[in-house]
Amino acid sequence: MSDSWFDASFFLVSKAAELNAQQYEGKATWNAETTKQAILSAGQTLEQNYVQYSAFETGVDANRNFSTAQYYADKANQLNQISYQGKTTWTASDVSTVFKNSGIDPVDHYLKYGKSEGLTAKTSQNADATTLTSTDAIVGSLTAGYATWNSVAGNVVYYKYMTSTSDDVMGAHPNSFSVMDTTQQAAVTKALAAVTAITGIQFAQTTNTSQANLLFGEANLGGNTAGVTYMPMSVDGKVTSEVFIDNRSYHSMNATTDTEWYEVLLHEVGHSMDLKHPFEGSITLPTSLDNTQNTLMSYTSAPTSTSFYNHFQEYDVLALQFLYGTDGVRGTQGIGSSFA
């Protein structure tokens, strides 16, 4: 299979939904994370599981843009039209069996043969992000459902460091606004690079406010608030988000060496990517899982000796890749993905 066509997080949510429908091992509580661990424990990669097993099961797909079941049905119809092997009784199940016995998965077959034969890929029955996330406690508890960078013009997300309150295009009205210093700006660049490593999203700095999608600054946020993010939404026809870090006690921290400061930044950058707190909304994480060892979007410190982290956690990665895949904006993966 072409790696660019395998959307791991989408596959996991799709696979978990199927396991729940079948009540595999007597359970209907499978989610993306438990499904992933079960596959890895069996000594398989996620791609290997799809190619060898899941591609031949009902309802499991490798990508939003490819319905495995529909491809089998379309191929069966094509074979019947030409009386392949003298038969006009081909079924989707027959095609699935032939593919399995031949050691080829349906995506690979489409790329190598089906496309040139005139077959077209159909959208997965699991393509609706809202429906899928509502069935998965991990991904559903972290995806907010606001705008995402998949709808940004072009394929680059532009970011800017605010230089004055005139850069506040979302109407946040920051109290006691201040500009991030160079050390903090370097930390932001590092945090965005971490998102790129996970999703493939390309970020580029700009000094033009009208071009910027993502804006960073400091403000007096009041109370015990360390950071505030205005979630991505359309402003003047452009997807925009604003991130503020508190400029009282947090301003005195060293953004290079203080892990607490950087974890706060990663948390806020997560919000700017359309991630929410796992304890809010209609879908939430079980209390036993709601901690920073699993997701930096949690308010509960990890039950370990290390309370702060300098990287996104496993659940964050699953949710980010569910939204964006691994090949950036307008790739073949993630919500709003294109099909080659």
Side-chain angles (χ1 to χ4, degrees):
M1 179 193 295
S2 170
D3 289 342
S4 66
W5 281 57
F6 187 77
D7 188 337
S9 286
F10 180 84
F11 162 74
L12 285 170
V13 177
S14 175
K15 177 74 173 178
E18 180 61 21
L19 292 176
N20 286 329
Q22 299 297 327
Q23 292 198 351
Y24 183 70
E25 294 185 347
K27 299 189 299 184
T29 55
W30 292 93
N31 58 50
E33 178 63 14
T34 55
T35 300
K36 177 180 180 179
Q37 294 309 317
I39 291 172
L40 297 180
S41 295
Q44 304 165 335
T45 66
L46 305 183
E47 295 94 329
Q48 286 172 340
N49 181 274
Y50 175 79
V51 169
Q52 296 175 16
Y53 303 103
S54 296
F56 311 105
E57 299 169 353
T58 303
V60 183
D61 295 315
N63 192 289
R64 284 177 176 80
N65 296 306
F66 191 89
S67 169
T68 300
Q70 188 60 54
Y71 187 68
Y72 290 144
D74 289 348
K75 185 62 182 178
N77 183 56
Q78 181 193 60
L79 295 177
N80 287 330
Q81 288 179 350
I82 63 174
S83 298
Y84 184 69
Q85 293 183 346
K87 292 170 51 179
T88 58
T89 57
W90 288 94
T91 66
S93 179
D94 294 334
V95 174
S96 175
T97 299
V98 170
F99 282 13
K100 185 175 183 180
N101 292 340
S102 301
I104 187 168
D105 69 86
V107 175
D108 235 7
H109 186 277
Y110 172 74
L111 291 172
K112 292 179 179 178
Y113 309 109
K115 195 173 182 180
S116 62
E117 294 170 352
L119 294 177
T120 58
K122 305 295 196 307
T123 302
S124 167
Q125 64 180 0
N126 298 316
D128 186 333
T130 302
T131 300
L132 260 187
T133 55
S134 69
T135 67
D136 194 275
I138 303 299
V139 174
S141 70
L142 290 176
T143 48
Y146 288 85
T148 69
W149 302 112
N150 294 308
S151 56
V152 72
N155 57 7
V156 175
V157 176
Y158 290 93
Y159 68 98
K160 180 182 187 296
Y161 299 111
M162 296 180 178
T163 56
S164 70
T165 54
S166 64
D167 289 331
D168 171 30
V169 297
M170 298 186 75
H173 305 298
N175 183 35
S176 301
F177 170 82
S178 60
V179 178
M180 283 187 165
D181 62 34
T182 55
T183 302
Q184 293 167 334
Q185 291 181 17
V188 170
T189 301
K190 178 182 175 182
L192 294 179
V195 175
T196 298
I198 293 167
T199 66
I201 294 176
Q202 297 303 305
F203 297 94
Q205 185 178 349
T206 181
T207 57
N208 185 348
T209 303
S210 64
Q211 184 184 40
N213 304 105
L214 185 53
L215 299 116
F216 292 89
E218 287 194 306
N220 183 338
L221 302 178
N224 296 317
T225 304
V228 166
T229 297
Y230 289 77
M231 302 288 278
M233 62 183 66
S234 180
V235 177
D236 296 329
K238 180 184 63 178
V239 183
T240 308
S241 176
E242 292 182 0
V243 175
F244 295 95
I245 303 297
D246 186 65
N247 61 9
R248 296 165 301 158
S249 59
Y250 278 81
H251 183 75
S252 64
M253 294 181 181
N254 187 319
T256 300
T257 60
D258 196 297
T259 310
E260 181 179 356
W261 193 97
Y262 190 62
E263 185 180 296
V264 168
L265 176 65
L266 289 175
H267 176 101
E268 299 307 327
V269 167
H271 282 316
S272 76
M273 296 298 116
D274 196 43
L275 299 189
K276 72 176 184 69
H277 299 136
F279 51 84
E280 294 176 340
S282 59
I283 308 169
T284 59
L285 273 182
T287 303
S288 61
L289 300 178
D290 183 2
N291 61 70
T292 56
Q293 185 171 307
N294 293 322
T295 169
L296 296 191
M297 306 313 293
S298 176
Y299 275 9
T300 304
S301 296
T304 66
S305 58
T306 302
S307 296
F308 301 106
Y309 293 92
N310 62 0
H311 54 84
F312 286 107
Q313 302 294 66
E314 180 70 17
Y315 295 0
D316 304 321
V317 173
L318 281 170
L320 286 168
Q321 291 185 343
F322 177 80
L323 292 173
Y324 302 106
T326 61
D327 57 358
V329 176
R330 306 197 189 288
T332 60
Q333 304 171 12
I335 295 172
S337 54
S338 59
F339 211 54

